[in-house]
């Protein structure tokens, strides 16, 4: 069957026209889909970049925050805590103590050098009088006594250190354990060494006590003593005659300005030596049943402080008993920013061992063994002046007297003693003191014999 030629020509033409009409549409449809896909891809890329940027910002912020935390921790470790006390380390030092306990350590290193001239003989080598001013060690001889040449002593025995452990419970209870030591050893080196080669000295217990809120138990300064009134001396004490000075074991209760204590009793007894030229021996008795009773009141203000203390005692030896009482007034009065006056006045029957380092005895004993309390009184006054923040000076006078009965103890016992001291102390740096002090002291016996002491005393002291 044959096709018509015109029909054969029309078929290719129609196919071409169909392709020409469909191809642009197909191409247009494909382009639209691609654009939609490209738009979705672009949106996804934008969201990914946004997430990456947000994550980078978060990481930067975390790193910055961590750096700030590290800086704060470093500052907190270096800065004092809320209680004002710097921390030595972050881990506990008191491994056996209650959690949260605070450990403290302090003290000072002190070197003393002095030249002494005594009128009636030398103070015995190795005695406490060669280390600081102790009036009972001043030699007193007759009219022909000769003290000889001056003599020099160097030592570092009054260097000191202390340890303290403090703790406060969740309920507010406060606990404190405190131990303080030096190298004084009473001035005797018999068991520790000598000055020939090594100058070794024994560690000496000064204080050891525990506190619980208002209660204290252990060894510390007597409640009868006002340590805040002591002058700024180069010597260990300076105003030795007129000050109360005792450390001993006790139980103390403090409430506000009031404090009361039961303290270790001890009786000193001057031997019976009626009208003897030389004093008899002095002995100690620990036969006491009743502890020494002390009470104190302190008033404080910007003007300084004032204190009054009372003492009740029982004396006992070989079955005989006696009683005694004493009172002490003391204080510090500020006279402007650069001056102050420090003072003390003491009187009592049986005040002996509490005043002037035992210059007088607590009691006298008669032929029948009966004890008699010895009356004594003394005091001091000191003026302190600061010439500048680095230089200060002090003038001091001190005296004590005892009413001995020569019919019981003879003429060779100490009746009175007095002394003057003047010093300058220079502090070129905080906590470092360089001082020089001149002193004159005198001890008088009941028969009016006297012995004098002149001393030039220097020290270098660094506190920490």
């Amino acid at each position: 069957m044959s096709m018509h030629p015109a029909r054969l020509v029309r078929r290719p033409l129609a196919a071409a026209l169909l392709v020409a009409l469909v191809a642009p549409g197909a191409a247009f449809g494909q382009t639209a889909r691609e654009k939609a896909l490209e738009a979705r891809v672009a949106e996804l890329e934008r969201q990914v970049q946004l997430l990456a940027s947000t994550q980078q910002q978060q990481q930067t912020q975390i790193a910055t925050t961590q750096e700030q935390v590290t800086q704060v921790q470093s500052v907190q470790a270096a800065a004092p805590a809320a209680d004002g006390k710097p921390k030595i380390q972050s881990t506990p030092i008191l491994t056996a103590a209650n959690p949260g306990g605070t450990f403290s350590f302090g003290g000072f290193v002190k070197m003393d050098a002095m030249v002494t001239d005594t009128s009636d003989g030398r103070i015995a080598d190795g005695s406490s009088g060669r280390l600081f001013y102790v009036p009972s060690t001043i030699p007193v001889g007759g009219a022909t006594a000769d003290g000889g040449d001056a003599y020099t002593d160097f030592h570092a025995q009054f260097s000191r250190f202390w340890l303290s452990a403090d703790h406060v419970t969740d309920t507010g209870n406060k606990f404190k354990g405190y131990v303080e030591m030096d190298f004084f050893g009473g001035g005797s080196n018999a068991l520790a060494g000598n000055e020939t080669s090594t100058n070794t000295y024994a560690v000496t217990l000064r204080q050891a006590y525990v506190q619980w809120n208002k209660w204290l138990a252990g060894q510390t300064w007597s409640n009868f003593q006002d340590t805040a009134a002591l002058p700024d001396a180069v010597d260990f004490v300076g105003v030795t005659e007129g000050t109360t000075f005792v450390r001993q074991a006790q139980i103390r209760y403090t409430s506000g300005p009031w404090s009361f204590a039961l303290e270790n009793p001890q009786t000193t007894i001057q031997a019976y030596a009626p009208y003897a030229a030389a004093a008899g021996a002095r002995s100690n008795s620990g036969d006491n049943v009743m502890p020494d009773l002390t009470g104190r009141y302190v008033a404080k203000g910007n003007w300084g402080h004032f204190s009054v203390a009372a003492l009740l005692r029982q004396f006992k030896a070989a079955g005989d008993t006696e009683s005694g009482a004493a009172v002490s007034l003391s204080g510090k009065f500020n006279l402007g920013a650069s001056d102050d006056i420090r003072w003390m006045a003491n009187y009592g029957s049986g005040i002996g061992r509490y005043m002037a380092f035992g210059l007088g005895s607590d009691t006298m004993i008669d032929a029948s063994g009966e004890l008699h309390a010895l009356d004594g009184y003394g005091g001091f006054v000191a003026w302190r002046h600061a010439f500048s923040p680095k230089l200060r000076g002090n003038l001091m006078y001190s005296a004590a007297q005892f009413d001995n009965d020569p019919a019981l103890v003879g003429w060779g016992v100490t009746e009175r003693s007095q002394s003057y001291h003047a010093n300058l102390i220079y502090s070129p740096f905080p906590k470092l003191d360089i001082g020089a002090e001149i002193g004159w002291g005198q001890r008088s016996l009941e028969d009016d014999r006297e012995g004098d002491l002149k001393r030039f005393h220097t020290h270098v002291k660094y506190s920490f």
Side-chain angles (χ1 to χ4, degrees), residues 106-455:
F108 59 76
V109 176
K110 183 173 186 278
M111 189 272 190
D112 292 274
M114 66 201 76
V115 178
T116 305
D117 184 10
T118 43
S119 63
D120 287 25
R122 292 173 177 267
I123 299 175
D125 191 20
S127 73
S128 58
R130 296 290 288 261
L131 306 179
F132 68 105
Y133 177 60
V134 182
S136 61
T137 65
I138 298 176
V140 178
T144 60
D146 182 9
D149 296 332
Y151 40 99
T152 299
D153 292 285
F154 286 25
H155 72 88
Q157 290 179 250
F158 292 135
S159 299
R160 182 185 310 173
F161 64 93
W162 55 262
L163 311 169
S164 179
D166 300 79
H167 177 66
V168 180
T169 67
D170 295 337
T171 57
N173 286 289
K174 296 181 180 180
F175 295 90
K176 180 185 185 70
Y178 183 86
V179 177
E180 181 181 273
M181 290 156 281
D182 65 13
F183 306 90
F184 175 37
S188 173
N189 305 319
L191 301 179
N194 54 56
E195 296 183 43
T196 303
S197 300
T198 60
N199 287 268
T200 52
Y201 302 106
V203 175
T204 307
L205 178 66
R206 288 173 52 88
Q207 301 187 69
Y209 62 82
V210 59
Q211 276 184 291
W212 171 41
N213 295 332
K214 298 180 179 181
W215 290 94
L216 177 148
Q219 177 167 307
T220 186
W221 297 106
S222 170
N223 190 42
F224 190 63
Q225 179 179 349
D226 183 7
T227 56
L230 289 174
D232 188 8
V234 172
D235 183 80
F236 179 57
V237 180
V239 290
T240 310
E241 297 98 340
T243 185
T244 55
F245 198 100
V246 171
R247 288 190 303 267
Q248 58 194 7
Q250 61 192 270
I251 299 174
R252 183 188 300 180
Y253 177 79
T254 302
S255 181
W258 294 94
S259 57
F260 303 91
L262 304 177
E263 306 192 20
N264 180 62
Q266 187 75 192
T267 300
T268 61
I269 307 163
Q270 187 64 41
Y272 180 63
Y275 301 110
R282 183 183 297 181
S283 61
N284 281 24
S285 171
D287 296 342
N288 308 67
V289 176
M290 187 181 77
D292 291 355
L293 308 178
T294 61
R296 174 175 294 279
Y297 174 80
V298 181
K300 298 179 181 179
N302 294 332
W303 47 270
H305 82 272
F306 169 77
S307 176
V308 55
L311 169 67
L312 294 176
R313 306 183 63 191
Q314 178 200 58
F315 309 113
K316 187 174 182 179
D320 188 67
T321 61
E322 171 70 305
S323 60
V327 63
S328 176
L329 306 177
S330 58
K332 173 186 173 184
F333 295 148
N334 298 321
L335 306 175
S338 301
D339 298 86
D340 65 63
I341 298 293
R342 309 178 192 196
W343 61 278
M344 182 178 291
N346 313 296
Y347 174 79
S349 180
I351 196 173
R353 75 177 181 90
Y354 277 85
M355 186 175 69
F357 279 78
L359 179 63
S361 179
D362 292 332
T363 63
M364 303 172 288
I365 192 169
D366 60 22
S368 63
E370 184 177 352
L371 296 175
H372 301 268
L374 175 61
D375 293 344
Y377 49 92
F380 70 81
V381 61
W383 170 48
R384 180 183 185 272
H385 174 71
F387 298 94
S388 72
K390 293 186 177 182
L391 181 65
R392 61 192 187 272
N394 298 267
L395 294 175
M396 298 165 267
Y397 174 73
S398 177
Q401 184 159 336
F402 296 88
D403 295 335
N404 301 285
D405 184 353
L408 297 179
V409 296
W411 298 104
V413 295
T414 300
E415 179 189 17
R416 62 187 181 274
S417 180
Q418 60 178 333
S419 66
Y420 296 90
H421 296 264
N423 67 43
L424 287 174
I425 302 174
Y426 177 61
S427 301
F429 303 99
K431 305 295 185 180
L432 177 63
D433 291 340
I434 302 172
E437 182 172 291
I438 56 174
W440 173 87
Q442 183 183 74
R443 183 167 73 100
S444 303
L445 307 183
E446 282 290 343
D447 60 6
D448 292 331
R449 285 180 294 161
E450 297 175 343
D452 298 339
L453 173 147
K454 294 187 287 290
R455 176 171 284 171

Side-chain angles (χ1 to χ4, degrees), residues 59-83:
Q59 290 177 346
T60 302
Q61 185 175 2
I62 291 172
T64 302
T65 302
Q66 183 63 42
E67 183 179 358
Q68 293 174 346
V69 169
T70 302
Q71 292 175 353
V72 170
Q73 289 175 340
S74 300
V75 171
Q76 289 177 341
D83 57 5

